Amino acid sequence: MQSLIIKTLIIIQQLVKSPLTLLRLTLPVFFTKKLLAAFSYDFYSSFDPSYSLAKTWFLNILPDFFYTLSPTEFIMVKYAILISGICAVIGVLGRLNLLFLAFMGYFIFGLGEGYGLFDHHMSLPSQVMFALALVPGTMKISIDDWIVNRFVRNETKAKSPKWGTQLVLLLVVLTYFTAGVSKLRYGHGAKWLDGSTLSFYLKERTDKYENGTKQIVFSDNQTNSEALWKDEFGFVAHTYGNYQTLKKWNHIADYVANSKFLVILLSVGSLLFELLAFVVFVNSKYRNIYLVSAIVFHMSIGQLMGISFRQYRLICFCLIDWHAIFKYAINFASKFTFVQQLKLNPIFLKIRN
């Protein structure tokens, strides 16, 4: 029994010491599922690459044959996505498959942008997948790692440098921080704080109508050329769809939207949350507080607007400093009598330290 507990603690320790491995074991599952759900042949074949605003910078560098796949070739690509997702999780040519999934993320959701669909769900996960393919510390607990250590080298494993985790954390921080800056820059500065924008989002109900899956886009073709943002049409705003259909949560969202105090409080809170993202680099405590806050932030959006941001929450969950929490839990548990025998085990002492 003692041996089983020690082995379990060792496995947990390996996972919590390798947040990037934890991410690699979980994120490709959700990422692959999202890619397969979004990549239909009707969606693909109706894309018009000749339209000047249809291509992102990434799509512009791809050869033309990427836009002329036959139905058979398209099916082969979908199978390739599925196989890559499985191989990325178990770690067979893991880095290559992570790179392929990231590429497909940029490609598929780049096509979506050509239709005017800006899927924020995939912006951060696509970048994280690309980073996981390149940074150290990703392929622990993988078949690739087992093969290398079994047949290529057999020395003591060196610790992975921390910069890989810090880089992925930086991607998270920049995503939130730039969202805050964008609110100030394109939300007319302090006007974002009056709560009217957030109130509009919460009351949005186009999903109740037949064509409710489309976003509403506002434009003004009388806008002066100096005031144009990123296009020639006078694009001035777009809304998130509110996809929450449960009446209970709709009533709560309406109550919040109609309360000036609450909607201003949430507007100020969301802006501060995003602008303070760099606190994750101060120390482990602030990192954990911020990432847990991010999870709660997205859960709240999910309940009020039906927008889950599930992959964002997963990324934040995996990047919590679980090693610090694990060490605290082990030290706390060691005070109790039922673990006194474990304390005599030298491996337990090593885990504890």
Side-chain angles (χ1 to χ4, degrees):
M1 183 65 181
Q2 185 182 111
S3 175
L4 179 62
I5 294 174
I6 291 293
K7 287 179 180 178
T8 303
L9 289 174
I10 290 173
I11 292 172
I12 294 173
Q13 185 191 43
Q14 288 300 312
L15 283 173
V16 299
K17 286 178 68 175
S18 308
L20 300 188
T21 296
L22 197 57
L23 259 178
R24 195 214 80 238
L25 289 168
T26 53
L27 184 59
V29 176
F30 296 94
F31 194 85
T32 302
K33 181 181 178 183
K34 184 75 172 178
L35 290 181
L36 293 174
F39 199 38
S40 70
Y41 193 71
D42 288 341
F43 165 82
Y44 168 78
S45 59
S46 59
F47 180 75
D48 182 7
S50 64
Y51 177 49
S52 60
L53 293 178
K55 290 185 178 181
T56 63
W57 68 268
F58 181 77
L59 297 185
N60 266 317
I61 66 177
L62 299 180
D64 290 340
F65 70 79
F66 276 91
Y67 309 104
T68 57
L69 296 177
S70 68
T72 302
E73 292 169 331
F74 179 83
I75 294 296
M76 291 175 64
V77 171
K78 293 206 74 165
Y79 275 116
I81 292 171
L82 177 61
I83 293 169
S84 286
I86 295 170
C87 290
V89 172
I90 64 176
V92 176
L93 298 177
R95 294 188 182 278
L96 182 62
N97 283 295
L98 287 168
L99 207 57
F100 175 74
L101 290 173
F103 171 87
M104 292 307 299
Y106 292 142
F107 177 64
I108 293 172
F109 292 96
L111 296 179
E113 288 190 29
Y115 292 106
L117 304 173
F118 301 95
D119 195 337
H120 303 294
H121 283 76
M122 298 301 285
S123 59
L124 176 61
S126 296
Q127 296 174 73
V128 171
M129 291 291 285
F130 183 74
L132 290 177
L134 303 177
V135 299
T138 302
M139 299 312 299
K140 291 181 179 179
I141 315 178
S142 67
I143 293 177
D144 288 347
D145 188 61
W146 179 83
I147 291 173
V148 168
N149 284 285
R150 177 70 175 82
F151 299 104
V152 179
R153 65 171 188 262
N154 194 25
E155 68 269 18
T156 304
K157 292 184 181 180
K159 289 184 178 180
S160 298
K162 291 183 178 180
W163 68 262
T165 302
Q166 297 295 89
L167 178 63
V168 177
L169 267 173
L170 183 62
L171 292 175
V172 174
V173 166
L174 290 177
T175 297
Y176 289 123
F177 181 75
T178 52
V181 172
S182 180
K183 286 179 174 62
L184 293 176
R185 185 178 180 187
Y186 301 114
H188 300 288
K191 277 194 172 183
W192 165 264
L193 302 178
D194 66 12
S196 58
T197 303
L198 184 56
S199 178
F200 178 76
Y201 286 165
L202 291 173
K203 291 180 178 179
E204 200 277 334
R205 293 287 184 270
T206 56
D207 199 46
K208 288 185 176 181
Y209 303 98
E210 185 178 351
N211 295 322
T213 54
K214 300 183 185 300
Q215 288 183 313
I216 301 173
V217 177
F218 300 94
S219 66
D220 178 7
N221 57 13
Q222 303 302 315
T223 304
N224 295 329
S225 58
E226 296 81 9
L228 292 176
W229 183 42
K230 291 183 178 179
D231 59 69
E232 61 195 69
F233 303 110
F235 176 92
V236 293
H238 77 94
T239 71
Y240 292 106
N242 190 330
Y243 302 107
Q244 180 57 265
T245 56
L246 294 177
K247 290 184 178 180
K248 177 180 72 173
W249 289 107
N250 287 160
H251 291 325
I252 294 173
D254 287 339
Y255 176 79
V256 173
N258 291 323
S259 170
K260 195 68 175 175
F261 172 76
L262 287 177
V263 82
I264 289 176
L265 184 66
L266 290 176
S267 296
V268 173
S270 64
L271 184 62
L272 288 176
F273 164 75
E274 290 169 341
L275 294 178
L276 292 173
F278 282 96
V279 300
V280 303
F281 296 117
V282 175
N283 57 39
S284 174
K285 178 183 176 181
Y286 286 108
R287 169 178 160 184
N288 289 348
I289 290 173
Y290 188 86
L291 293 174
V292 169
S293 299
I295 294 170
V296 173
F297 176 74
H298 289 303
M299 288 176 67
S300 302
I301 295 173
Q303 294 299 330
L304 295 176
M305 298 187 65
I307 306 173
S308 68
F309 283 96
R310 188 173 290 110
Q311 295 186 58
Y312 279 63
R313 287 186 281 152
L314 175 64
I315 291 167
C316 291
F317 179 83
C318 292
L319 290 175
I320 289 172
D321 191 351
W322 290 109
H323 184 53
I325 296 173
F326 177 77
K327 284 182 66 176
Y328 173 80
I330 289 291
N331 288 329
F332 180 78
S334 65
K335 298 176 183 178
F336 294 92
T337 55
F338 66 87
V339 293
Q340 293 302 310
Q341 289 184 337
L342 285 178
K343 289 172 66 176
L344 301 176
N345 190 309
I347 300 178
F348 179 81
L349 293 174
K350 185 178 179 181
I351 292 172
R352 183 180 173 185
N353 297 324

